[in-house]
Amino acid sequence: MSLRDGASVTVNATSMAANERSLLLVGDPANVWYGSGAAPKAREELHGVIGVVRAVNGTYTLVPSPIPDVRVRAPRVTNAGRDAWHVIFVTGALSTPSNALMFDTATIWYGRFEKSTWTRIERVATVRSGSLLLGSSSSLINLRGEVAFAYAFERPFSTDQSTQVPSGVVLLRGGHGAPWRTDTLQTWEAPRTVELVASEDSASLLAVIA
């Protein structure tokens, strides 16, 4: 993807959504490449950028991070009308390499990106032992008057079996100015895959858990 200044951008995509006139592509990380032809290109990881918008005329513009100087992980997007998108994203530290998909502690955020500007950025939930990366958490679904997102969580390790809490899935619903609500489904085995599918009229949800 080429910018107007001639630089190229690559995005490790986690989500995309189209509206009437443009496409938003987000991911982690994003990189910019400078130079052209046979000249070597310098690579720079953009912690202040989470993706690109492709306009109807084929041009690309960078999407800035909703929280400056903070690495945004696992962004998910859905259409919010003309030139606007709902976005869910995560900040926090991943667990040890033995469980590289789990966050020890993380914060889930919601924001609205409209006409190159972030609005309504709000903290949704604080998560412990949550699996929030691609595959272990769902797409962002636009329902009537709210958005929905689901993620898996796993019981923390303990040598005391009597104190272990169940694993399961958490469903978050809110946004559009509505308060956020949570529903929890407990499971004995930790889910590895979570996905949400909206009904044809966007009035209800189907959860796929494996």
Side-chain angles (χ1 to χ4, degrees):
M1 295 175 286
S2 297
L3 302 177
R4 291 188 178 94
D5 62 3
S8 297
V9 178
T10 58
V11 179
N12 183 25
T14 56
S15 184
M16 68 176 68
N19 58 31
E20 294 180 7
R21 302 194 304 174
S22 51
L23 173 74
L24 174 61
L25 172 70
V26 295
D28 172 47
N31 298 284
V32 63
W33 302 74
Y34 298 100
S36 60
K41 295 184 178 182
R43 174 178 172 178
E44 176 185 346
E45 189 169 298
L46 300 175
H47 292 299
V49 171
I50 67 165
V52 294
V53 171
R54 184 186 187 278
V56 68
N57 63 3
T59 59
Y60 291 90
T61 55
L62 296 175
V63 177
S65 173
I67 305 179
D69 302 319
V70 175
R71 184 171 184 179
V72 167
R73 310 298 301 267
R76 311 295 167 84
V77 298
T78 190
N79 180 19
R82 184 171 180 174
D83 295 327
W85 293 268
H86 302 289
V87 185
I88 284 280
F89 59 94
V90 177
T91 59
L94 286 169
S95 187
T96 61
S98 62
N99 196 350
L101 295 180
M102 181 178 292
F103 286 82
D104 286 328
T105 302
T107 302
I108 300 175
W109 300 79
Y110 165 82
R112 181 184 173 96
F113 187 70
E114 183 172 4
K115 296 181 179 179
S116 303
T117 302
W118 286 100
T119 61
R120 299 184 186 177
I121 297 174
E122 58 190 43
R123 188 190 305 262
V124 176
T126 299
V127 178
R128 293 188 60 84
S129 300
S131 299
L132 298 167
L133 298 187
L134 194 65
S136 299
S137 60
S138 75
S139 304
L140 183 62
I141 302 297
N142 194 349
L143 299 173
R144 292 180 177 177
E146 61 184 6
V147 294
F149 173 73
Y151 67 90
F153 67 91
E154 187 172 337
R155 66 176 68 88
F157 174 78
S158 174
T159 56
D160 183 358
Q161 298 295 316
S162 65
T163 63
Q164 287 195 357
V165 297
S167 303
V169 174
V170 174
L171 172 66
L172 299 168
R173 297 178 65 160
H176 291 267
W180 288 93
R181 310 184 309 280
T182 62
D183 291 300
T184 303
L185 172 66
Q186 295 184 347
T187 61
W188 182 250
E189 296 293 334
R192 297 301 176 191
T193 302
V194 180
E195 188 54 278
L196 297 176
V197 180
S199 62
E200 186 174 353
D201 60 359
S202 297
S204 60
L205 281 172
L206 171 67
V208 180
I209 303 169

